[in-house]
């Protein structure tokens, strides 16, 4: 006898609470091996292939591609302990008597044989897992599943996108989905999912904090909702349905009030032709990278008392040094040194002189924490939105090494392959908004850092050079800093040192 196990979306780390399904890597009926990637998901920070800790036959998938699921929501179910001779990743077709066609190729192992170790057999999965889920024994609460009920698997904001019948030989016990330890009140089977009902006196059958937060934001009373999940569990789809119903009710009230206010003898259409013809406003969910950026910037503005200072600098000599360095490289295979790499090297030297700006604030302990190394973040605009990859130990690198690492991380950012670790842990950020053709800006600090240097475009401008008016390459530099870690004198000293190095790169050489 086999067990039908439910694999839930694991905690992908870095405090992430949800992920969007980008692409399914398996179909219902496929045989999967232990630790085989089954779905590609996109979080607020990266795209990740999620491996399944069970080996067996995929019996159901939950969520269409593009669906956003909270951590802990079911991804798929797997019938563990499939018969010998099934081929991994091949569709499984039931025969008249419940057998399946297909055989394992020579030299390959079946799912049951690949999990032959005692540890694997006892746990039903592998030990190679992501953060937040393991391969321990199935949940204690179980129920038997009849074959004739496998096509009525409970739905979750996206019900299973596809299901295949499972023979009696592969059907045993499966964990009960729902809220462990929560007494769920009985829900009428005739009520529509998400519909409003009289206020229930019992506990609210909801386990997801995201569902509770969504309900609070839209003033939805969860006690009046009829859940579409197992045992009446309230899912996100139910709350979304209730929100739509509330919006439609409010729109109907508005139309009724507008009709009542129409003068006698005038038709509603004649009274407000513009209102009836106006297109509906587009609503774009704040989720994924855009949602993460919104949360982080809002927190920065809320918690950090920031201030900004700026200065114009003559970058003519810096551009000449860059040209000379790249000319010296010649036809070698090494990458060219970018302006961003030179500015990053200047920042690491400036932070060595002004370590107050390479710090963070521990609000609970009321302490300023000065950090020993510089992990330099740089803002990069991608199709997925704004991301900030981090160059580790930038204070130990020269301009060429920093430039090579920036180029590598930028390419990963453009292809959406940056890992969460490559997007976190920065201590100072460099933001080159000059690539957008603008001269200046007041950057928002990348929480929990203490400062960010902004760089505008470098362009020819009239400039007094050696007592005479000349056309020089001028750039505007702006520094936004946390006023808790230092005063304006320190911030001004940092920015002035950066400007001096831009105008006279030899200043940097004298301080190395």
């Amino acid at each position: 006898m086999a067990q039908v196990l439910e694999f839930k979306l694991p905690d992908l780390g870095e405090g992430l609470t949800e992920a969007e399904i980008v692409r399914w890597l398996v179909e219902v009926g496929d045989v999967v091996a232990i630790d085989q990637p089954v779905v590609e998901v996109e979080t607020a920070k990266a795209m990740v292939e999620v491996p399944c800790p069970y080996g067996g036959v995929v019996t159901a998938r939950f969520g269409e591609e593009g669906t956003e699921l909270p951590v802990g929501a079911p991804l798929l179910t797997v019938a563990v302990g499939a018969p010998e001779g099934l081929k991994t990743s091949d569709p499984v077709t039931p025969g008249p008597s419940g057998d399946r066609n297909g055989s394992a190729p020579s030299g390959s192992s079946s799912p049951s044989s690949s999990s032959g170790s005692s540890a694997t057999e006892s746990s039903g999965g592998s030990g190679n897992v992501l953060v937040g889920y393991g391969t321990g024994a199935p949940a204690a609460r179980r129920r038997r599943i009849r074959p004739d009920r496998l096509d009525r698997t409970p739905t979750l904001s996206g019900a299973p996108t596809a299901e295949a019948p499972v023979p009696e030989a592969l059907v045993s016990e499966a964990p009960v989905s729902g809220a462990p330890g929560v007494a769920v009140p009985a829900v009428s089977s005739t009520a529509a999912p998400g519909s409003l009902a009289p206020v229930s006196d019992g506990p609210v059958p909801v386990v997801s904090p995201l569902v509770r937060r969504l309900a609070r934001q839209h003033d939805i009373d969860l006690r009046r909702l009829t859940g579409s999940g197992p045992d009446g569990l309230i899912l996100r789809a139910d709350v979304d349905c209730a929100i739509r119903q509330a919006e439609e009710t409010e729109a109907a009230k508005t139309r009724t009030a507008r009709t009542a206010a129409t003068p006698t003898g005038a038709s509603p259409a004649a009274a407000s032709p513009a209102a009836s013809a106006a297109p509906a406003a587009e609503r774009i969910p704040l989720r994924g990278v855009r949602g993460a950026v919104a949360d982080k910037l809002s927190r920065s503005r809320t918690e950090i008392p920031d201030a900004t200072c700026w200065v114009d600098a003559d970058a003519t000599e810096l551009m000449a040094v860059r040209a000379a360095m790249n000319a010296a490289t010649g036809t070698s295979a090494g990458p060219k040194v970018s302006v961003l790499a030179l500015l990053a090297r200047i920042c690491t030297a400036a932070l060595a002189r002004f370590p107050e700006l390479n710090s963070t604030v521990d609000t609970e302990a009321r302490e300023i924490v000065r950090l020993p190394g510089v992990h330099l973040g740089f803002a990069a605009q991608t199709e997925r939105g704004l991301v900030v990859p981090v160059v580790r130990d930038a204070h130990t690198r020269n301009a060429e090494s920093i430039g090579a690492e920036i180029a590598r991380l930028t390419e990963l950012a453009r292809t959406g392959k940056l890992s969460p670790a490559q997007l976190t842990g920065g201590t100072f950020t460099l933001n080159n908004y000059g690539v957008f053709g603008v001269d200046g800006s007041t950057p928002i600090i990348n929480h929990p850092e203490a400062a960010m240097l902004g760089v505008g475009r470098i362009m020819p401008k009239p400039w007094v050079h050696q007592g005479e008016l000349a056309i020089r390459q001028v750039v505007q530099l702006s520094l936004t800093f946390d006023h808790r870690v230092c005063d304006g004198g320190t911030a001004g000293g940092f920015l002035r040192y950066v400007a001096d190095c831009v105008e006279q790169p030899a200043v940097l050489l004298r301080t190395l």
Side-chain angles (χ1 to χ4, degrees):
M1 299 294 289
Q3 292 181 334
V4 179
L5 301 180
E6 183 181 77
F7 174 44
K8 299 180 179 181
L9 177 65
D11 180 357
L12 301 174
E14 303 297 340
L16 301 174
T17 59
E18 56 191 10
E20 180 179 339
I21 296 176
V22 176
R23 180 168 59 99
W24 283 104
L25 305 178
V26 295
E27 301 288 341
V28 170
D30 285 358
V31 178
V32 295
I34 294 176
D35 290 335
Q36 176 181 333
V38 293
V39 65
E40 186 180 62
V41 301
E42 181 179 17
T43 69
K45 296 180 177 179
M47 282 196 290
V48 181
E49 288 186 351
V50 180
C52 179
Y54 310 125
V57 180
V58 178
T59 60
R61 299 187 323 193
F62 294 84
E64 299 279 355
E65 293 180 355
T67 301
E68 190 172 67
L69 298 179
V71 169
L75 272 178
L76 48 76
T77 54
V78 178
V80 178
E84 298 282 346
L86 292 178
K87 183 178 179 182
T88 302
S89 298
D90 280 350
V92 180
T93 306
S97 59
D99 59 334
R100 279 173 160 73
N101 300 326
S103 60
S106 176
S108 66
S109 60
S110 67
S112 59
S113 63
S114 66
S115 56
S117 66
S118 58
T120 302
E121 289 175 352
S122 63
S123 64
S126 75
N128 300 326
V129 294
L130 297 175
V131 178
Y133 74 98
T135 53
R141 296 181 60 199
R142 299 173 179 270
R143 63 179 177 187
R144 299 192 63 83
I145 298 179
R146 301 197 310 270
D148 60 347
R149 294 187 62 189
L150 287 176
D151 59 347
R152 296 198 297 271
T153 303
T155 58
L156 174 78
S157 72
T161 58
E163 297 184 353
V166 178
E168 182 67 30
L170 290 178
V171 178
S172 179
E173 295 181 344
V176 179
S177 301
V182 177
V184 181
V187 180
S188 172
S189 61
T190 59
S195 61
L196 295 177
V199 176
S200 171
D201 294 331
V204 179
V206 61
V207 295
S208 171
L210 296 177
V211 172
R212 292 183 181 275
R213 183 179 66 181
L214 184 64
R216 285 196 305 269
Q217 291 174 345
H218 294 272
D219 295 327
I220 300 297
D221 190 349
L222 291 173
R223 297 174 301 172
R224 300 186 60 196
L225 286 188
T226 300
S228 62
D231 300 324
L233 184 68
I234 297 177
L235 308 176
R236 180 169 181 170
D238 303 325
V239 177
D240 289 337
C241 181
I243 292 172
R244 289 194 297 270
Q245 291 179 4
E247 291 176 348
E248 291 172 359
T249 301
E250 185 65 26
K253 291 180 179 178
T254 302
R255 288 193 297 268
T256 301
R258 185 181 298 119
T259 302
T262 303
T264 304
S267 65
S272 54
S276 60
E282 181 182 6
R283 292 180 175 269
I284 302 174
L286 272 176
R287 65 187 187 187
V289 173
R290 187 70 262 164
V293 170
D295 293 341
K296 198 161 193 176
L297 296 184
S298 298
R299 185 176 182 184
S300 178
R301 281 297 194 205
T302 302
E303 295 185 10
I304 299 178
D306 59 341
T308 303
C309 54
W310 57 88
V311 66
D312 290 341
D314 181 359
T316 306
E317 295 299 327
L318 183 69
M319 301 300 290
V321 167
R322 172 177 176 265
M325 293 176 67
N326 289 333
T329 303
T331 59
S332 67
K336 300 294 185 181
V337 177
S338 65
V339 175
L340 188 63
L342 291 175
L343 290 169
R345 181 63 187 91
I346 291 173
C347 283
T348 59
L351 290 171
R353 293 172 63 91
F354 301 92
E356 298 91 337
L357 295 171
N358 193 58
S359 62
T360 187
V361 176
D362 186 339
T363 54
E364 293 185 1
R366 293 184 61 82
E367 294 176 343
I368 297 173
V369 183
R370 291 190 182 178
L371 304 171
V374 178
H375 302 314
L376 188 68
F378 64 95
Q381 190 71 35
T382 70
E383 292 182 357
R384 297 178 62 237
L386 179 67
V387 295
V388 185
V390 178
V391 178
R392 303 285 171 182
D393 299 316
H395 61 289
T396 65
R397 301 172 180 261
N398 58 23
E400 290 84 354
S401 175
I402 293 176
E405 184 67 359
I406 288 176
R408 185 182 74 88
L409 293 173
T410 300
E411 182 59 28
L412 291 176
R414 288 172 179 166
T415 57
K417 296 181 179 179
L418 283 171
S419 67
Q422 292 170 320
L423 290 165
T424 55
T427 63
F428 184 92
T429 297
L430 178 61
N431 186 0
N432 180 22
Y433 44 75
V435 296
F436 302 117
V438 297
D439 297 332
S441 176
T442 55
I444 299 178
I445 296 174
N446 188 20
H447 186 279
E449 298 170 10
M452 177 186 291
L453 179 69
V455 183
R457 61 177 176 171
I458 301 175
M459 62 179 302
K461 287 184 178 181
W463 190 265
V464 177
H465 177 65
Q466 296 180 351
E468 296 183 356
L469 187 63
I471 301 298
R472 306 286 287 181
Q473 299 292 323
V474 179
V475 62
Q476 184 180 100
L477 307 171
S478 57
L479 176 70
T480 298
F481 64 98
D482 187 338
H483 224 313
R484 296 173 297 179
V485 304
C486 68
D487 295 327
T490 300
F494 175 92
L495 187 58
R496 188 63 258 170
Y497 177 80
V498 171
D500 290 343
C501 290
V502 168
E503 294 184 342
Q504 301 178 19
V507 172
L508 179 62
L509 297 176
R510 289 198 299 267
T511 59
L512 294 180

